[in-house]
Amino acid sequence: MDAESLLLSLELAAGSGQGLSPDRRAALLTSLLLVKRDYRYDRVLFWGRILGIVADYYIAQGLVEDQLAPRKTLYSLNCMEWSLLPPATEEMAAQVAVVKGRFMGDPSHEYEHTEFQKTTAEGEKTFEEDVVVHIKEETRLVSVIDQIDKAVAIIPRGALFKTPFGPVNVNRTFEGLPLSEARKLSSYFHFREPVGLKNKTLLEKADLDPSLDFLDSLEYDIPKGSWSIQMERGNSLVVLRSLLWPGLTFFHSPRTRNHGYIYVGTGEKNMDLPFML
Amino acid sequence: MEDSTSLGQETENQQLGEAARPGEEEAAAPPRDPGPQSSGPWEAERAPDAAEPRPGSSRTRSPGSRGRAAGHGAVSPPPPQPRKPLRALARQDLGAAQQPDGAVSGAPDAGTALPDPLGLSTDEKASASGSQSREDTSPPTQQYRSSSTHSQPKELRTGNAQGEDPEPGASETAPSTLEIAVQNAKGYLFQASSKTGLNLYDHLSNVLTKIFDERPENAVDIIENISQKVKMAHFSKKLDTLQNENEMLPTYEIAERQKALFLQGHLEGADQELEDEIDLFSQAENSLPNVMESAFYFEQAGLGLGTDETYRIFLALKQLTDTHPVQRCRFWGKILGLEMNYIVAEVEIREGEDEEEVEEEDVAEAEERYNGESEADKDEEDELPKSFYKPPQAIPKEESRTGANKYVYFVCNEPGRPWVKLPSVTPAQIVTARKIKKFFTGRLDAPIVSYPPFPGNESNYLRAQIARISAGTHVSPLGFYQFGEEEGEEEEDVESGRDSFEENPDFEGIQVIDLVESLSNWVHHVQHILPQGRCTWFNPIPKHEEEEEEDEEKEEEKGEEPDYVEQEVGPPLLTPISEDLEIQNIPAWTTRLSSSLIPQYATAVLRSNLWPGAYAFSTGKKFENFYVGWGCKYSVDNYTPPVPPPVYQEYSSGPEITEMDDPSVEEEQAFRAAQEATELASQDNEESGEDDDDDN
């Protein structure tokens, strides 16, 4: 959700019970402005909160002019002092995949993971060695945020448009989805570089508007039904909840520009989804 | 004189750059070949070389030069820099688009810019009378020109004087070539699209009007979108239809329902006497929870549903307490669903109400049981063996008001919709619910498709989850509740600890900081649910044997003692939560102070790690529990479906199964020999009758 309209967004996203206490809200309104100034971001998004056992991580993201450019992620424990996270890499994701369970809330906390590694010694014998791998929680945080962003960060269709020069900008003339479109998954896009778009057939591509339909649509998510879409407050608010990453709430009030997403959760993927549907 | 000025003008234009030329060409083109006039000036532009000499001819005629000046009114206003784009535009067949362009360039000074489109529009109406249009367009020409280039002023003035002087003459004479060109261009712009009925002229002026009305930043960057918007706005114009659009119907419907929530207070107040109202008020005060107060504290903790939704729920609870015989009511929480959510209210029904339903159910159950028994009787009479398998003893559900059925739960999908009472929970449902993990759909009658078949539909599953969550996460500060002393100790209490409690009148509160620092200051005040699915132990063995109708007396004596050992016991009531089981090195609870900045007024916040979404707060004296989430339990590992039940072993092949070989000849002969021997023996003993009897 945009840092500038944080209060309204929080009110709209409150249906899932995820909110911020008044002191956190006030702190965020102050500190995100400063973040925007100091890091020279074009936009600052309040991304959400990862619940740890000891403390919670508050996450913000800074966007530059091109909305699809890699985003900078910052975290804070007290909503005032923000620290920049390193960019996520594939290597990190592979490393972190072995860690399970909840976040601790201490960025310097180290998870220990024992791995069995087979080493062939001189005598052609294979030894099984226990190698203890230390993984910092900060690394895991980076990786999880990246995964969530790639999987479930979404925007309504038309909120961004691609300029002829390439960069993707916020569409000023976006006035919200019409009610009939707001219930369909196809009118929401993943907020990331498109992956599946190139795989589409020519026939499918023919109907697309190149300045608007340059992202992946939600309706092709796997598994089918990994989103819960609801109209709340008597059709004046669409709420999308991700079932794959429970805790991610997207809201959009049709016919207005208000939209955004927030993640409040444990930072764990719901691998049981097929059982639960 | 006129010639010279026109010449001067011409040279000046050339000096200024070729940008101006297209305009001229365009202006000059139509008179030479009147045939293609209707098709528009762009055709002439396609051959700029051919158009080159023409200005010479027009130069000689004074009206032509004048007309050109008027034409410049449209073309030349932009200062030198924008001429290039102008030219580009002109090259494309949109020579006439220069007019709007001139208006755009005029945008910076609002005073002159705004009237411009208006002038154009009047112009367009009066396009037949050339003089009128000339008067309209030429004055802005002066202004722009004087401001634009240094060498112009002189010519301008002369041109201007010229423009005013021969005006009457021009109106008398035939319309100038340039004028015709302009009109042609306009005519082209006015051509309506065969598909939509729009024309470009109106569209452009609408776009400009929109831009001037809205004044967006960097209008040039978003001109495409604005243009699109204008078109969309045209398309979405409401058509005359026989039926009204019903797109918004659900919105109005829920608004209508919620209106009832807000109105109900007034209606009652108006209807009833003051005293009644006070009675009602005091009663409502007892039964209705102060939702807003606890919502305030939960908001401090960073949790809650938003102010307006909370208030609607508050009103919905009031509606519930007014329409049902409710003794005590509590806002339990919200369970998220795929299509709709559930708002759950925990209710204690007043004594003596709601009993009939329960009895009916009991009767029905008893009948079933009776039928089952009678069938069993029949089975025994038959000769062929029937299935020996008996379903495991159905454990009866607990009475209402006790155990897991202590409270009644009402749910609704949205505040304002009717409350639905959930059925009471059976142990079998709880046991099965523990083995499955499902999302709620939001429809109470939805079937639950799961591997251990769930006995019931979604309402039963919801009720079971509510029971489990309540039992796990409803906590209170130590000392707030104490065991009731007045109530007689029942027999059950001896077994499973006392199951009733009451508020401690002498409770003095606990320091908030103590509540945060020590988990042992929080206690469960809802009974633990045993693995069996009940809060109190039910011994399934004796009942089982009763059904078989074997010596009842003996069983009653024997039954209790051996099974007493097997009895499942859980933590008793009011056990501190510090003794809760850990989830693989993760503590079951996280405590937090709601504000680190102002600790003296902060509240203690408790978050369950076992049931994500379950929270409790306490200010030391007050406390409340709340759940909002998907209704699923947390586990570090992924959900594993339960293993299939063991396969029943076949009969072990013993003497009952195996048979002997057929008797062989030797055996038969031996047998015959033996028989003969016995016959002989019996003949010997014929006298004695006793032996005969034995043989038979």
Side-chain angles (χ1 to χ4, degrees), chain A residues 15 21 52 173 230 234 268 272, chain B residues 229 334 337 437 607 634 639:
Chain A
S21 59
T173 54
Q230 286 191 25
E268 287 168 290
D272 309 335
Chain B
K229 270 267 128 59
K334 180 174 178 179
K437 193 174 177 186
R607 187 166 77 207
Y634 175 81
Y639 166 78

Side-chain angles (χ1 to χ4, degrees), chain B residues 296-309:
Chain B
F296 167 76
Y297 286 116
F298 276 121
E299 197 192 345
Q300 305 296 309
L303 177 81
L305 298 176
T307 320
D308 67 330
E309 191 179 352

Side-chain angles (χ1 to χ4, degrees), chain A residues 148-207:
Chain A
I148 294 178
D149 257 349
K150 283 194 174 138
V152 290
I154 53 174
I155 50 151
R157 178 177 185 268
L160 298 182
F161 77 103
K162 193 166 197 156
T163 54
F165 306 108
V168 174
N169 287 350
V170 177
N171 188 356
R172 304 164 170 277
T173 54
F174 176 61
E175 282 180 357
L177 296 168
L179 262 182
S180 53
E181 297 292 311
R183 294 157 197 266
K184 296 176 190 161
L185 275 186
S186 54
S187 34
Y188 300 94
F189 287 147
H190 284 285
F191 195 6
R192 55 137 201 246
E193 288 288 342
V195 180
L197 208 57
K198 287 167 198 147
N199 304 334
K200 286 196 169 176
T201 60
L202 272 179
L203 206 61
E204 285 169 321
K205 277 182 187 168
D207 293 336

Side-chain angles (χ1 to χ4, degrees), chain B residues 411-657:
Chain B
V411 295
C412 67
N413 290 121
E414 245 176 296
R417 290 190 189 277
W419 290 94
V420 179
K421 184 175 164 238
L422 290 181
S424 45
V425 68
T426 64
Q429 284 161 358
I430 289 186
V431 170
T432 318
R434 280 186 173 134
K435 291 182 191 156
I436 62 176
K437 193 174 177 186
K438 294 292 259 184
F439 278 124
F440 290 96
T441 63
R443 287 173 286 115
L444 280 176
D445 53 351
I448 298 279
V449 182
S450 62
Y451 157 49
F454 187 80
N457 55 17
E458 186 162 304
S459 62
N460 301 101
Y461 180 53
L462 179 65
R463 181 65 185 80
Q465 289 300 82
I466 290 175
R468 293 176 64 204
I469 293 172
S470 304
T473 65
H474 280 191
V475 292
S476 56
L478 179 67
F480 189 86
Y481 287 119
Q482 61 184 8
F483 291 115
E485 289 156 9
E486 299 129 34
E487 288 186 31
E489 311 247 311
E490 297 164 24
E491 294 111 57
E492 283 176 341
D493 292 353
V494 186
E495 288 172 19
S496 63
R498 291 165 289 182
D499 65 346
S500 66
F501 54 84
E502 59 186 18
E503 281 186 30
N504 184 356
D506 306 325
F507 180 62
E508 296 196 338
I510 296 182
Q511 287 292 313
V512 169
I513 197 74
D514 292 338
L515 286 170
V516 172
E517 282 174 356
S518 167
L519 281 181
S520 53
N521 283 325
W522 294 88
V523 294
H524 288 280
H525 63 257
V526 174
Q527 282 180 295
H528 178 81
I529 299 185
L530 299 171
Q532 190 188 37
R534 287 169 55 110
C535 293
T536 50
W537 173 247
F538 170 78
N539 198 341
I541 307 297
K543 191 91 174 197
H544 187 75
E545 281 161 329
E546 268 174 40
E547 278 191 1
E548 285 178 0
E549 290 184 348
E550 289 176 19
D551 315 318
E552 286 179 15
E553 301 86 19
K554 287 179 191 171
E555 242 56 52
E556 272 180 4
E557 290 166 14
K558 268 200 236 166
E560 299 288 353
E561 287 152 352
D563 295 320
Y564 187 79
V565 189
E566 294 174 23
Q567 176 175 348
E568 297 160 352
V569 275
L573 211 55
L574 303 189
T575 311
I577 61 174
S578 52
E579 291 172 22
D580 280 10
L581 292 177
E582 279 191 349
I583 334 157
Q584 297 192 11
N585 303 323
I586 295 172
W589 296 89
T590 297
T591 54
R592 192 75 45 81
L593 206 57
S594 66
S595 169
S596 53
L597 302 172
I598 312 171
Q600 61 267 40
Y601 295 120
T603 55
V605 182
L606 197 63
R607 187 166 77 207
S608 172
N609 292 331
L610 192 62
W611 290 98
Y615 291 80
F617 84 86
S618 172
T619 60
K621 291 200 169 182
K622 286 179 184 137
F623 79 94
E624 189 59 71
N625 297 291
F626 182 67
Y627 179 86
V628 55
W630 293 100
C632 291
K633 198 172 180 172
Y634 175 81
S635 63
V636 177
D637 296 313
N638 298 329
Y639 166 78
T640 321
V643 291
V647 178
Y648 281 99
Q649 296 299 320
E650 291 189 19
Y651 274 113
S652 52
S653 77
E656 301 150 16
I657 307 294

